[in-house]
Amino acid sequence: MTPTPPTLLVLDADPPPRLGRLTGRARIVHTDAAHLAERLPEADALLVWDFTSHAVRRAWPGDGPRPRWVHTASAGVDHLMCPELAASDTVVTNARGIFDQPIAEYVAALVLAVAKDLPRTLEYQRERTWRHRESRRVAGTRACVVGSGPIGRAIVRTLKALGVTTALVGRVPRIGIHGPDDLDRLISRADWVIAAAPLTEQTYRMFDTRRFGVMQPSAFFVNVGRGQLADEDALAEALTRRWIAGAALDVFAAEPLPRDSPLWGLPGLIVSPHMSGDTVGWRDELGAQFVELYERWAAGRSLVNVVDKKRGYVPGH
C-alpha cells in the first residue's frame, strides 16, 4: 500500500505559491485566515505564505494536534510567534537568505539618493526649476548598522563597496561585531543609522526619543527591519525639530500605512511600502526555497534556517 503523503496546509496570499514539484508528495490544503484554526489539527506542516498575517498567532492556541513544522516566507517571525508555539516541539523555519542582497541594495540606493539630493532634483524637474546645488560625497562617511544577521552583514558589505566606514551592532559583541553597549557611541558619530534587526523584547522601540537625540543633526535614519524597532512618534518629533537630517522607513508599526497617518507628510521622511527586499522573481525564489526545505523534511533530514523560538531569529549570527 502506498503511504499517505503528509498534509501541507498553506496560509494563502495572492498570488499563491507554485508548489508543482510537490505533486503526489504532499496533500496540499489551502486556507485563509478565517479558517486556519479549524484546519490546523489536520496539518503535518504549515506554510505561512501570507507573511503579513497574524492569523497563526491567533489560531495556534487551542485543542487538537498542531503541525510538526511551520515555515514562514519571510525573514521575521514576530507575526506568528505566540507563547504556545514557542513552548511547543514544532520546528519553525524562515526565508533567511532570500532578501539579504536586495535589501542591502535598497539601503545603498537610499544612501546615494539622499547624499546626491535626488528627491529634490526630481521635485525641481517637475517644477521646471533650474537650481544648482552641491551634493555630499558618500565615500568617507560613517554608517552604523544595527542587526548582525545576514541582512545586516549584506548591508555592511554593500556600503563598504561605496567607501562608507561601517560599524555592525549585534546582540552580543564578538570579532567584527559591536555589542549593544557600544550603540549610543556609534550612532552619535554616524552619518547613516540603519535598523535591520529582528523584532524581539530587547529591540522593541530601541530607537526612541533618547536615541534620536543622541544622533548628530546631519544623521539620516533608515529602518528596513521591523516597524516596531522605532518609536514613530519619537521619530516624528526628531524630524519636526530637526534633531536629525532625515529618515527613510520601509516598515511601519501598522501596515499598510493608513492614508491619514502623519508620517506621510513629515519633513525629510521617505516612505516606501515594505518593498526593500522584493525584487523581480522574489516569490518564485521563496517557493523554490520552501520546496527544497520540504524535500529535506519529508526525507527526515535536518532542516536549515531553523528559528530559535525563544530569541525570535535563526541563531549563529
Side-chain angles (χ1 to χ4, degrees), residues 106 110 223 248-252 264 270-276:
Y106 199 89
L110 286 170
N223 189 2
L249 300 181
D250 187 55
V251 288
F252 301 86
W264 289 106
I270 298 173
V271 171
S272 58
H274 203 151
M275 59 178 283
S276 61

Side-chain angles (χ1 to χ4, degrees), residues 146-147 170-171 195-208 211 226-231 311 313:
V146 183
R171 186 178 64 89
L199 179 60
T200 66
E201 291 182 2
Q202 291 71 35
T203 62
Y204 178 76
R205 291 190 175 182
M206 65 185 303
F207 290 99
D208 53 12
R211 286 247 160 84
R226 283 292 179 265
Q228 294 90 339
L229 297 180
D231 182 330
R311 297 181 184 178
Y313 54 88

